Amino acid sequence: MTFSENKLIIAILIGAVAGILSGCIFGTAMVSVVWIGDLFLDALKMMIVPLVIAAVISGVSSLGDIRKLGKVGGATLIYYASTTAIAVLIGLLVVNLIQPGVGIGQAGTALSEEISNKANTGFVDIIRSMISPNIISAAADMKLLPLIVFCLLFAAALTTIGDKNITIIKFFDGLNEVMMKLVIWVMTFAPIGIFALIAGKIGSAGGAEAIQQELIAVGSYCFTVILGLSIHFIVLFIILILFSNQGRTFLIKLLRALVTAFGTASSSATLPLTMECALEAGVDKRSIKFVLPIGATINMDGTALYESVAVMFIAQAYGISMGIGEQTIIFITATLAAIGAAGIPQAGLVTMLIVLEAVNLPAEGIGLILAVDWFLDRFRTTVNVWGDSVGAAVIQQYLPEENTKDLK
Ligand code: ASP
């Protein structure tokens, strides 16, 4: 790691800590910096669509052959599915041990319109959301899942047309390089951007005292979620050490992305930085281009863990017991609901309705945890991004050998 990268990591960490302190000390006055945070967020979002298109097409076509795509794709899906399943199991374990919802009652706030309007999101909707009839409008609405599906198909077809594909592949390779350069430029504003995002959010939430009130009401629930997420973070770290050629410094190299995930509560907005950090850490470009964009869209370990804890918490609060059968349903639906959640703030809260419905719990139960969701969202997004990054390092082992040099 170069001197200037070290300086940037330190500056981002200082920005995050200063954001927490100023938000707590100056409270609502910090609402005045919200626009600076939004500006930084918009700069990151501005890059997502061209970056995802360029990365997925150039990453997949660099694998060379559709059969190799199958092997890498299979390994990637196994990684996503197994780590998400482990996350949900950890969530169920901690929530059964701590039982944070027992005896807290059902007094919650009313469901926000945004959530009640989406109450009919189901599995069919998730499957349907994978294909868009209009890829331009999907891109305009930043619906990444149909965009990625289109790019995967496009790149797969590209590998089958012989030499005619050379110019197109070169174009997307070049576009990808340009986008990564832009990421580096935007990243220099990360310290002030992260500062403003965190200070502004704490300020809008009413400052330290207001947050304290919210946290105390469901303190044991927050503790359970954060404990589960911390355990899963460590499990992923162990997976990294066991199944990749990366060492402990990988975590330090990824810090900029992890702090940005915490600051933005959006894995999609963090994606450009995640890709840049993984590149700095020495992960193979093909793995970065393939695993990270898809991961930021469907691989959400933190969200899956959070959903299982939240649903069990609501059941405990309502005094409804969840046996092994119901918990198996929670296990399956939380895994799938996390896949359906977009990489944007509080998306997991919406897809959680699927899990609640599957075990016949009232959607109003979400009212119990609504007030603290923005806060927990930051922790789960950090774990989501960590899960994707570890995935890129692990999947690297399954890439085909040939062409590695000229693609690097
Ligand atoms: N905010 C999360 C993410 O972007 C999704 C969620 O759990 O709400 O990864």
Side-chain angles (χ1 to χ4, degrees):
M1 212 177 310
T2 64
F3 181 61
S4 63
E5 270 168 47
N6 274 333
K7 274 208 293 200
L8 192 60
I9 292 179
I10 293 167
I12 290 175
L13 288 176
I14 291 175
V17 174
I20 294 172
L21 291 178
S22 356
C24 289
I25 297 169
F26 304 116
T28 43
M30 291 318 283
V31 171
S32 58
V33 302
V34 165
W35 71 272
I36 302 176
D38 287 345
L39 200 65
F40 174 64
L41 200 57
D42 285 345
L44 286 176
K45 285 186 185 167
M46 169 178 88
M47 288 181 294
I48 297 174
V49 168
L51 185 60
V52 164
I53 294 175
V56 175
I57 294 180
S58 105
V60 172
S61 51
S62 68
L63 296 174
D65 173 326
I66 236 171
R67 278 160 302 184
K68 287 175 188 158
L69 170 64
K71 188 177 166 224
V72 179
T76 307
L77 289 183
I78 290 172
Y79 171 84
Y80 290 159
S82 51
T83 50
T84 306
I86 294 171
V88 181
L89 282 179
I90 293 174
L92 288 174
L93 196 75
V94 285
V95 78
N96 277 300
L97 284 177
I98 300 176
Q99 309 231 334
V102 173
I104 75 143
Q106 299 167 15
T109 41
L111 264 192
S112 77
E113 235 177 61
E114 192 197 341
I115 290 167
S116 42
N117 283 347
K118 303 224 172 123
N120 56 357
T121 309
F123 289 121
V124 176
D125 299 284
I126 293 181
I127 294 167
R128 289 220 42 198
S129 70
M130 289 181 176
I131 305 277
S132 166
N134 183 339
I135 207 65
I136 307 290
S137 84
D141 296 338
M142 274 220 216
K143 289 186 178 147
L144 295 187
L145 199 52
L147 197 63
I148 288 177
V149 170
F150 174 79
C151 293
L152 284 173
L153 292 172
F154 182 91
L158 204 57
T159 60
T160 65
I161 61 168
D163 283 353
K164 277 182 251 159
N165 67 12
I166 294 174
T167 328
I168 304 178
I169 294 178
K170 273 198 179 147
F171 169 77
F172 284 109
D173 275 349
L175 181 60
N176 186 68
E177 297 284 323
V178 173
M179 293 314 302
M180 293 313 288
K181 189 58 96 188
L182 289 183
V183 176
I184 295 175
W185 291 353
V186 170
M187 201 141 77
T188 36
F189 297 101
I192 178 83
I194 302 279
F195 162 80
L197 277 170
I198 295 180
K201 187 68 211 183
I202 296 178
S204 330
E209 242 170 67
I211 294 174
Q212 212 178 349
Q213 297 294 323
E214 285 171 3
L215 292 185
I216 287 172
V218 281
S220 149
Y221 162 68
C222 294
F223 171 75
T224 312
V225 172
I226 295 172
L227 176 71
L229 290 173
S230 310
I231 296 173
H232 189 63
F233 194 96
I234 296 168
V235 168
L236 287 170
F237 188 73
I238 296 169
I239 291 177
L240 173 87
I241 301 295
L242 293 180
F243 297 103
S244 83
N245 56 6
Q246 289 284 342
R248 272 166 284 174
T249 52
F250 187 72
L251 177 58
I252 298 169
K253 293 194 172 136
L254 258 297
L255 262 185
R256 282 170 295 169
L258 298 179
V259 178
T260 306
F262 189 83
T264 60
S266 166
S267 356
S268 299
T270 310
L271 175 66
L273 272 166
T274 318
M275 293 177 76
E276 163 60 20
C277 290
L279 200 62
E280 296 288 348
V283 177
D284 189 303
K285 270 187 182 175
R286 293 171 297 164
S287 181
I288 291 173
K289 290 174 189 171
F290 183 69
V291 179
L292 290 180
I294 303 175
T297 315
I298 64 167
N299 182 43
M300 308 237 172
D301 295 6
T303 302
L305 186 151
Y306 147 84
E307 292 196 3
S308 65
V309 174
V311 169
M312 285 296 291
F313 171 77
I314 291 168
Q316 289 166 357
Y318 277 75
I320 300 169
S321 87
M322 293 276 124
I324 196 84
E326 283 93 353
Q327 295 205 32
T328 309
I329 296 175
I330 294 178
F331 171 76
I332 297 166
T333 48
T335 306
L336 296 172
I339 295 173
I344 55 172
Q346 299 198 298
L349 199 63
V350 177
T351 60
M352 201 172 85
L353 287 165
I354 300 174
V355 190
L356 285 173
E357 208 170 282
V359 284
N360 293 321
L361 285 172
E364 290 70 37
I366 289 189
L368 289 171
I369 53 171
L370 208 55
V372 289
D373 191 69
W374 67 271
F375 175 74
L376 296 176
D377 193 10
R378 283 145 204 276
F379 290 92
R380 63 181 191 253
T381 307
T382 309
V383 173
N384 288 345
V385 169
W386 179 232
D388 298 337
S389 314
V390 171
V394 170
I395 299 305
Q396 173 173 254
Q397 320 293 316
Y398 298 92
L399 290 172
E401 277 300 321
E402 62 262 40
N403 293 335
T404 311
K405 279 208 186 80
D406 34 24
L407 286 159
K408 271 213 166 192

